[in-house]
Amino acid sequence: MITNTIMGTIITATTTSMAEPVRPAALYRLLAWMSPSYPVGAFSYSHGLEWAVETGDIASAATLVDWLAVVIGEGSGLADATFFVHAHRAVVSGDAAALTAVAELALAFQPSRERLLETTAQGNAFMLATEAAWPADALALLRRAWSGAVAYPVAVGVATSAHGIDEAVALHAFLHAVTANLVSAAVRLVPLGQTDGQRVLAALEPLVEATAALAARTALDDIGGHALRSDIASMRHETQYTRLFRS
């Protein structure tokens, strides 16, 4: 059992051991794809955090932990992790119909124009970069199954599966990247110090693990969102007077 505490917020999760070590090639690709330097433009988006900071909902490391705990564990973090899982499994099984269903639902699930832009801009950019630099035959399954814009978690789920990267390992890497990008945005917006940003990221580690475990057993029909304030933030950000981020 892991227990992590930051400024009064306690998050716990049960640890699980991996059956096999991560292959060096898989680790190399995950580090490349989930790096802030991968050309998907993740740094341009705050996921509504910019509005939450302006209104005072987020003003410290503790309030950032509280906000992100809901977003990751009950909102878009869990939903995206579930889309990731189903996209990954659809490629493993070669099921084009299942891949179509998850690709379509991942777009329909976005609560605002800016959040739709956020996931499709990153998803499309991820696919283009990966197809160019890291080609794999299985990537074509998504192009055959779905001709529209691609949501970011679907793109990453498909790519990691196409390259034979273990679902659980890939999912943890994806959720870490999403969480780290939100923390990075908050460090610039609140502002917070870099060390406080790392404290927040460390505090959320057990929650990320728990979210990955829940996503692995969640059916597409069971996806729901309970981060209403975050969804409202993404809508209000569209008309925010001064903005640094695109969402």
Side-chain angles (χ1 to χ4, degrees):
M1 180 77 73
I2 291 177
T3 301
N4 215 331
T5 306
I6 179 170
M7 300 181 184
T9 299
I10 300 175
I11 302 172
T12 59
T14 301
T15 59
T16 55
S17 59
M18 295 180 186
E20 298 179 0
V22 182
R23 294 179 294 110
L27 179 60
Y28 188 91
R29 292 168 196 179
L30 279 177
L31 290 173
W33 298 343
M34 298 295 97
S35 166
S37 66
Y38 206 62
V40 299
F43 63 88
S44 301
Y45 303 95
S46 80
H47 208 72
L49 285 177
E50 190 163 17
W51 181 82
V53 171
E54 181 177 283
T55 59
D57 286 23
I58 300 173
S60 64
T63 51
L64 177 60
V65 170
D66 291 340
W67 181 278
L68 293 184
V70 176
V71 171
I72 295 165
E74 303 178 44
S76 58
L78 175 59
D80 282 354
T82 305
F83 295 138
F84 179 105
V85 166
H86 286 272
H88 193 284
R89 292 174 183 175
V91 172
V92 169
S93 61
D95 190 337
L99 193 52
T100 300
V102 66
E104 183 176 24
L105 185 59
L107 298 185
F109 206 76
Q110 303 308 312
S112 68
R113 181 181 62 181
E114 287 194 354
R115 286 269 291 276
L116 180 62
L117 170 66
E118 179 179 324
T119 194
T120 55
Q122 292 184 74
N124 290 335
F126 184 93
M127 286 297 296
L128 290 173
T130 305
E131 287 169 328
W134 311 86
D137 291 341
L139 286 171
L141 180 63
L142 177 59
R143 297 305 194 188
R144 292 196 301 269
W146 182 250
S147 60
V150 182
Y152 184 52
V154 173
V156 182
V158 166
T160 53
S161 184
H163 282 265
I165 302 175
D166 176 76
E167 175 191 302
V169 174
L171 179 57
H172 277 77
F174 169 75
L175 280 172
H176 169 269
V178 169
T179 305
N181 189 64
L182 293 177
V183 170
S184 177
V187 165
R188 287 171 278 168
L189 286 168
V190 173
L192 297 174
Q194 294 291 338
T195 300
D196 268 348
Q198 290 305 306
R199 290 192 181 107
V200 171
L201 193 59
L204 292 169
E205 178 185 344
L207 178 65
V208 167
E209 180 181 350
T211 300
L214 180 56
R217 60 178 187 271
T218 299
L220 284 181
D221 289 344
D222 294 333
I223 294 179
H226 305 283
L228 182 60
R229 185 82 171 161
S230 175
D231 294 343
I232 292 173
S234 72
M235 300 173 194
R236 295 290 179 84
H237 185 267
E238 293 181 5
T239 57
Q240 196 169 336
Y241 181 71
T242 301
R243 303 190 305 175
L244 299 176
F245 293 86
R246 299 183 70 188
S247 71

